[in-house]
Amino acid sequence: MRFFNHESPHNINYIQHSLVLVIGTIVGYASINLLCKLIKSNIKGKMRTKITLKGTILALMFSVIDIVLDVILSTILKISSSDGDLVPLLKTGLAPFLIVTIIIVSPILENLFFQGFLQDGVFKKLPPLFSIALTAGLFALAHGFMPSWSTLEFFIGGISFALAYYLTDGFKMSALSHIFYNFLVLIVHLLF
């Protein structure tokens, strides 16, 4: 586990970590927002769509299906989770920062980039099937660094988030699907 200088698992500089989280989030959002503006992505309009019960159920359904497929793949292919450091870190003073990052910050920033910039911008003119597949492939590679069987789990996640975006025509449902998924992954890691 990596910590800042003079830190240990239970002696954390909360101010320093808070600043890193806040500044990192602001810089990430500003960078993605700038990219979306440069390619004239309509993500701002799609952020205004209302959260509906139907959309929320769809987002939750995609998340649950994604988790089930991940478990099946992991079992069949005998691959271990790529989140091996997650549980030990949750037992340190970094837990609050990790939870906020995993459940809120990452899903929102990642969906802004993958659905707002790529799917609704760069790949907008492609047929939906290709746009969804390309976005999911890049999502998987961004999380897996190189093609492997565990990258397939991220590809499935990318498909579910891209489908949620496409089917609801709104950013919020895709982000909600990603938030649900990350929350479920966190729960699964804590329970098993």
Side-chain angles (χ1 to χ4, degrees):
M1 288 182 265
R2 300 200 58 146
F3 299 94
F4 289 126
N5 290 336
H6 309 296
E7 287 187 326
S8 67
H10 299 288
N11 181 21
I12 301 296
N13 184 334
Y14 289 100
I15 293 172
Q16 192 171 6
H17 286 280
S18 297
L19 285 172
V20 168
L21 180 60
V22 169
I23 292 169
T25 302
I26 291 168
V27 169
Y29 176 79
S31 301
I32 296 166
N33 192 36
L34 178 63
L35 287 172
C36 289
K37 281 183 181 179
L38 288 173
I39 62 165
K40 296 178 173 75
S41 170
N42 186 30
I43 192 67
K44 289 281 189 192
K46 294 193 178 192
M47 288 175 87
R48 291 187 195 105
T49 57
K50 293 183 179 178
I51 294 178
T52 63
L53 180 60
K54 179 182 174 185
T56 304
I57 291 170
L58 185 70
L60 185 57
M61 182 183 75
F62 276 128
S63 301
V64 170
I65 290 170
D66 193 5
I67 290 286
V68 169
L69 289 174
D70 285 354
V71 169
I72 291 170
L73 269 176
S74 295
T75 304
I76 291 172
L77 299 173
K78 295 180 179 22
I79 52 177
S80 62
S81 168
S82 57
D83 301 321
D85 291 338
L86 186 63
V87 174
L89 279 173
L90 286 170
K91 294 177 182 174
T92 71
L94 290 175
F97 302 102
L98 189 61
I99 291 168
V100 167
T101 301
I102 289 172
I103 296 177
I104 299 170
V105 176
S106 291
I108 291 172
L109 291 180
E110 287 178 8
N111 279 313
L112 279 172
F113 181 76
F114 289 101
Q115 275 60 60
F117 176 65
L118 293 177
Q119 188 175 349
D120 195 55
V122 176
F123 303 142
K124 187 176 184 119
K125 296 189 190 246
L126 296 176
L129 182 63
F130 292 116
S131 175
I132 290 168
L134 282 171
T135 302
L138 290 172
F139 178 83
L141 289 174
H143 285 78
F145 305 112
M146 66 171 141
S148 69
W149 286 113
S150 62
T151 307
L152 183 59
E153 292 178 61
F154 288 112
F155 180 73
I156 292 168
I159 291 283
S160 69
F161 308 143
L163 271 174
Y165 184 78
Y166 175 73
L167 293 174
T168 62
D169 198 34
F171 167 79
K172 290 178 184 174
M173 293 303 104
S174 176
L176 196 57
S177 179
H178 199 156
I179 288 167
F180 283 151
Y181 174 81
N182 285 5
F183 176 74
L184 291 172
V185 166
L186 195 63
I187 297 300
V188 166
H189 279 296
L190 288 173
L191 294 179
F192 302 105

